[in-house]
Amino acid sequence: MDLALVLFKRECALVLRKPGDALSAVFFFVLCTTLFALSINPEPQLLRALGPGALWVCALLASLMVVGELFESDWRDGTLEQLLLSPLPLPATVATKALARWLGSALPLVLVSPLLGLQFELSGSALLLLPFTLALGTLALVFVGSIGAALTLGLRSGSMLLSLLLLPLYIPVLIFGALAVAGAQNGSGFEAELSILAALCLLSVFFAPFASAACLELACE
Protein backbone atom coordinates (compact mmCIF):
# COMPACT_ATOMS: atom_id res chain seq x y z
CA MET A 1 0.00 0.00 0.00
CA ASP A 2 2.88 2.37 0.77
CA LEU A 3 4.41 1.79 -2.66
CA ALA A 4 1.04 2.28 -4.33
CA LEU A 5 0.53 5.53 -2.42
CA VAL A 6 3.98 6.79 -3.44
CA LEU A 7 3.27 5.93 -7.08
CA PHE A 8 -0.14 7.59 -6.88
CA LYS A 9 1.40 10.80 -5.50
CA ARG A 10 4.02 10.72 -8.26
CA GLU A 11 1.37 10.35 -10.97
CA CYS A 12 -0.70 13.17 -9.49
CA ALA A 13 2.41 15.39 -9.36
CA LEU A 14 3.10 14.66 -13.03
CA VAL A 15 -0.46 15.63 -13.90
CA LEU A 16 -0.19 18.89 -11.94
CA ARG A 17 3.17 19.67 -13.55
CA LYS A 18 1.56 19.73 -17.00
CA PRO A 19 -1.99 20.99 -16.46
CA GLY A 20 -2.42 21.77 -20.15
CA ASP A 21 -1.99 18.11 -21.08
CA ALA A 22 -4.34 17.01 -18.32
CA LEU A 23 -7.07 19.47 -19.29
CA SER A 24 -6.82 18.95 -23.04
CA ALA A 25 -9.53 16.29 -22.87
CA VAL A 26 -11.81 18.72 -21.01
CA PHE A 27 -11.23 21.44 -23.60
CA PHE A 28 -11.95 18.97 -26.39
CA PHE A 29 -15.15 17.83 -24.64
CA VAL A 30 -16.38 21.39 -24.17
CA LEU A 31 -15.53 22.41 -27.74
CA CYS A 32 -17.00 19.28 -29.32
CA THR A 33 -20.31 19.45 -27.44
CA THR A 34 -20.65 23.18 -28.07
CA LEU A 35 -20.08 22.80 -31.80
CA PHE A 36 -22.52 19.92 -31.91
CA ALA A 37 -25.21 21.99 -30.18
CA LEU A 38 -24.62 24.91 -32.55
CA SER A 39 -24.68 22.79 -35.69
CA ILE A 40 -28.13 21.26 -35.26
CA ASN A 41 -31.63 22.71 -35.36
CA PRO A 42 -32.21 24.70 -32.15
CA GLU A 43 -35.66 23.19 -31.70
CA PRO A 44 -35.91 22.18 -27.99
CA GLN A 45 -37.44 18.78 -28.69
CA LEU A 46 -34.67 17.85 -31.10
CA LEU A 47 -31.97 19.07 -28.71
CA ARG A 48 -33.40 16.94 -25.89
CA ALA A 49 -33.56 13.89 -28.14
CA LEU A 50 -29.99 14.20 -29.39
CA GLY A 51 -28.39 15.55 -26.20
CA PRO A 52 -27.63 12.33 -24.29
CA GLY A 53 -26.05 10.61 -27.27
CA ALA A 54 -24.09 13.69 -28.33
CA LEU A 55 -22.68 14.25 -24.84
CA TRP A 56 -21.65 10.63 -24.50
CA VAL A 57 -20.03 10.43 -27.93
CA CYS A 58 -17.97 13.55 -27.17
CA ALA A 59 -17.00 12.11 -23.77
CA LEU A 60 -15.90 8.86 -25.43
CA LEU A 61 -13.71 10.68 -27.93
CA ALA A 62 -12.22 12.79 -25.14
CA SER A 63 -11.41 9.61 -23.21
CA LEU A 64 -9.22 8.46 -26.09
CA MET A 65 -7.05 11.52 -25.42
CA VAL A 66 -6.79 10.58 -21.74
CA VAL A 67 -5.30 7.12 -22.33
CA GLY A 68 -3.08 7.95 -25.28
CA GLU A 69 0.00 8.83 -23.21
CA LEU A 70 -0.68 6.61 -20.21
CA PHE A 71 2.57 4.62 -20.47
CA GLU A 72 4.41 6.41 -23.28
CA SER A 73 6.47 8.88 -21.20
CA ASP A 74 7.48 6.20 -18.68
CA TRP A 75 8.53 3.92 -21.53
CA ARG A 76 10.66 6.63 -23.17
CA ASP A 77 12.62 7.63 -20.06
CA GLY A 78 13.09 4.10 -18.69
CA THR A 79 10.75 4.51 -15.72
CA LEU A 80 8.53 1.70 -16.96
CA GLU A 81 11.36 -0.84 -16.65
CA GLN A 82 11.93 0.26 -13.05
CA LEU A 83 8.23 -0.16 -12.35
CA LEU A 84 8.40 -3.68 -13.75
CA LEU A 85 11.20 -4.49 -11.30
CA SER A 86 9.57 -2.85 -8.27
CA PRO A 87 8.03 -4.95 -5.46
CA LEU A 88 4.61 -3.54 -6.29
CA PRO A 89 2.69 -6.01 -8.50
CA LEU A 90 2.39 -4.75 -12.05
CA PRO A 91 -1.44 -4.91 -12.13
CA ALA A 92 -1.51 -2.68 -9.05
CA THR A 93 0.89 -0.30 -10.78
CA VAL A 94 -1.35 -0.14 -13.84
CA ALA A 95 -4.45 0.42 -11.70
CA THR A 96 -2.74 3.20 -9.75
CA LYS A 97 -1.60 4.99 -12.92
CA ALA A 98 -5.04 4.63 -14.53
CA LEU A 99 -6.82 5.95 -11.43
CA ALA A 100 -4.49 8.95 -11.19
CA ARG A 101 -4.98 9.70 -14.88
CA TRP A 102 -8.77 9.47 -14.47
CA LEU A 103 -8.72 11.86 -11.49
CA GLY A 104 -6.52 14.36 -13.31
CA SER A 105 -8.08 14.31 -16.77
CA ALA A 106 -11.49 12.61 -16.81
CA LEU A 107 -12.94 13.80 -13.51
CA PRO A 108 -12.89 17.49 -14.58
CA LEU A 109 -14.77 16.40 -17.69
CA VAL A 110 -17.40 14.80 -15.48
CA LEU A 111 -17.74 17.93 -13.34
CA VAL A 112 -18.40 20.28 -16.27
CA SER A 113 -20.88 17.96 -17.97
CA PRO A 114 -24.07 19.37 -16.31
CA LEU A 115 -23.23 22.83 -17.63
CA LEU A 116 -22.83 21.43 -21.12
CA GLY A 117 -26.06 19.50 -20.74
CA LEU A 118 -27.89 22.82 -20.42
CA GLN A 119 -27.07 23.48 -24.07
CA PHE A 120 -29.31 20.55 -24.97
CA GLU A 121 -32.07 21.63 -22.57
CA LEU A 122 -31.90 18.39 -20.58
CA SER A 123 -34.33 17.98 -17.71
CA GLY A 124 -33.28 18.32 -14.09
CA SER A 125 -33.22 14.55 -13.50
CA ALA A 126 -31.09 14.00 -16.61
CA LEU A 127 -28.65 16.73 -15.56
CA LEU A 128 -28.29 15.10 -12.14
CA LEU A 129 -27.75 11.64 -13.61
CA LEU A 130 -25.37 12.74 -16.39
CA PRO A 131 -22.23 13.28 -14.25
CA PHE A 132 -22.86 10.06 -12.34
CA THR A 133 -23.07 8.00 -15.53
CA LEU A 134 -20.04 9.77 -16.98
CA ALA A 135 -18.06 9.07 -13.80
CA LEU A 136 -18.77 5.34 -14.10
CA GLY A 137 -18.34 5.34 -17.86
CA THR A 138 -15.10 7.30 -18.09
CA LEU A 139 -13.57 5.20 -15.30
CA ALA A 140 -14.37 2.08 -17.33
CA LEU A 141 -13.08 3.72 -20.51
CA VAL A 142 -9.77 4.69 -18.91
CA PHE A 143 -9.14 1.21 -17.51
CA VAL A 144 -10.10 -0.50 -20.76
CA GLY A 145 -8.01 2.08 -22.60
CA SER A 146 -4.97 1.07 -20.55
CA ILE A 147 -5.05 -2.27 -22.40
CA GLY A 148 -4.91 -0.51 -25.76
CA ALA A 149 -2.19 1.85 -24.53
CA ALA A 150 -0.08 -1.13 -23.45
CA LEU A 151 -0.68 -2.99 -26.71
CA THR A 152 0.36 -0.02 -28.88
CA LEU A 153 3.30 1.04 -26.71
CA GLY A 154 6.24 2.15 -28.83
CA LEU A 155 4.50 1.78 -32.19
CA ARG A 156 5.07 4.52 -34.75
CA SER A 157 1.38 4.92 -35.63
CA GLY A 158 0.17 3.97 -32.17
CA SER A 159 -2.46 6.69 -31.79
CA MET A 160 -4.38 5.60 -34.90
CA LEU A 161 -4.13 1.93 -33.98
CA LEU A 162 -5.19 2.73 -30.43
CA SER A 163 -8.41 4.32 -31.67
CA LEU A 164 -9.18 1.35 -33.91
CA LEU A 165 -8.61 -1.09 -31.06
CA LEU A 166 -10.57 0.74 -28.40
CA LEU A 167 -13.66 2.03 -30.22
CA PRO A 168 -15.33 -1.43 -30.48
CA LEU A 169 -14.63 -2.03 -26.78
CA TYR A 170 -16.05 1.36 -25.84
CA ILE A 171 -19.39 0.84 -27.60
CA PRO A 172 -21.18 -1.05 -24.75
CA VAL A 173 -20.29 1.70 -22.28
CA LEU A 174 -21.47 4.33 -24.74
CA ILE A 175 -24.79 2.59 -25.38
CA PHE A 176 -25.79 2.03 -21.76
CA GLY A 177 -24.51 5.41 -20.59
CA ALA A 178 -26.49 7.27 -23.23
CA LEU A 179 -29.58 5.12 -22.66
CA ALA A 180 -29.50 5.81 -18.92
CA VAL A 181 -29.44 9.58 -19.46
CA ALA A 182 -32.10 9.33 -22.17
CA GLY A 183 -34.30 7.28 -19.83
CA ALA A 184 -34.02 9.94 -17.14
CA GLN A 185 -34.82 12.59 -19.74
CA ASN A 186 -37.91 10.77 -21.04
CA GLY A 187 -39.10 9.57 -17.65
CA SER A 188 -39.07 5.94 -18.82
CA GLY A 189 -36.62 4.75 -16.14
CA PHE A 190 -32.86 4.29 -16.08
CA GLU A 191 -32.20 1.76 -13.31
CA ALA A 192 -31.46 -1.21 -15.60
CA GLU A 193 -29.08 0.73 -17.84
CA LEU A 194 -27.33 2.27 -14.85
CA SER A 195 -26.88 -1.16 -13.25
CA ILE A 196 -25.31 -2.55 -16.42
CA LEU A 197 -23.04 0.50 -16.68
CA ALA A 198 -21.92 0.02 -13.08
CA ALA A 199 -21.25 -3.67 -13.78
CA LEU A 200 -19.14 -2.77 -16.84
CA CYS A 201 -17.19 -0.32 -14.70
CA LEU A 202 -16.49 -2.90 -11.99
CA LEU A 203 -15.44 -5.54 -14.53
CA SER A 204 -13.11 -3.07 -16.24
CA VAL A 205 -11.49 -1.92 -13.00
CA PHE A 206 -10.93 -5.52 -11.88
CA PHE A 207 -9.78 -7.27 -15.08
CA ALA A 208 -8.16 -4.53 -17.19
CA PRO A 209 -5.03 -4.07 -14.99
CA PHE A 210 -4.14 -7.75 -15.38
CA ALA A 211 -4.49 -7.63 -19.16
CA SER A 212 -2.54 -4.37 -19.35
CA ALA A 213 0.22 -5.80 -17.15
CA ALA A 214 0.61 -8.81 -19.46
CA CYS A 215 0.81 -6.52 -22.50
CA LEU A 216 3.42 -4.31 -20.80
CA GLU A 217 5.60 -7.30 -19.97
CA LEU A 218 5.52 -8.35 -23.63
CA ALA A 219 6.28 -4.81 -24.80
CA CYS A 220 9.32 -4.52 -22.55
CA GLU A 221 10.87 -7.88 -23.43
Side-chain angles (χ1 to χ4, degrees):
M1 290 299 296
D2 292 338
L3 289 174
L5 183 59
V6 170
L7 178 61
F8 181 76
K9 291 180 178 179
R10 172 187 177 270
E11 294 298 322
C12 291
L14 291 176
V15 171
L16 293 175
R17 189 178 301 173
K18 297 180 179 180
D21 294 342
L23 295 177
S24 60
V26 181
F27 295 148
F28 175 84
F29 181 57
V30 172
L31 182 61
C32 188
T33 53
T34 301
L35 291 176
F36 197 99
L38 292 174
S39 64
I40 61 178
N41 192 319
E43 183 182 352
Q45 186 176 359
L46 181 61
L47 288 172
R48 296 189 192 103
L50 297 178
L55 288 165
W56 258 94
V57 167
C58 295
L60 184 149
L61 296 176
S63 298
L64 289 173
M65 302 177 63
V66 174
V67 301
E69 297 291 328
L70 186 58
F71 305 112
E72 193 70 26
S73 60
D74 289 339
W75 179 75
R76 289 175 180 173
D77 61 17
T79 303
L80 185 58
E81 295 181 359
Q82 299 300 319
L83 293 175
L84 290 172
L85 298 174
S86 70
L88 185 66
L90 190 55
T93 300
V94 172
T96 303
K97 288 178 66 65
L99 180 60
R101 180 59 63 95
W102 178 81
L103 287 173
S105 299
L107 184 58
L109 180 153
V110 173
L111 296 178
V112 303
S113 61
L115 296 176
L116 300 176
L118 293 174
Q119 299 179 101
F120 297 93
E121 301 194 19
L122 297 184
S123 65
S125 58
L127 289 175
L128 290 175
L129 185 64
L130 177 62
F132 187 62
T133 59
L134 284 178
L136 292 173
T138 53
L139 186 61
L141 295 178
V142 169
F143 272 81
V144 172
S146 67
I147 303 175
L151 282 171
T152 59
L153 187 63
L155 298 181
R156 184 173 300 176
S157 56
S159 59
M160 180 63 69
L161 183 59
L162 179 65
S163 301
L164 295 175
L165 287 173
L166 292 183
L167 283 177
L169 300 177
Y170 280 2
I171 288 177
V173 177
L174 168 67
I175 291 174
F176 291 106
L179 286 178
V181 180
Q185 172 69 27
N186 301 329
S188 58
F190 56 85
E191 291 79 6
E193 292 83 0
L194 187 62
S195 299
I196 296 175
L197 183 62
L200 291 173
C201 179
L202 290 175
L203 289 173
S204 302
V205 171
F206 183 80
F207 288 108
F210 294 95
S212 301
C215 295
L216 287 176
E217 289 176 349
L218 290 175
C220 294
E221 286 183 355

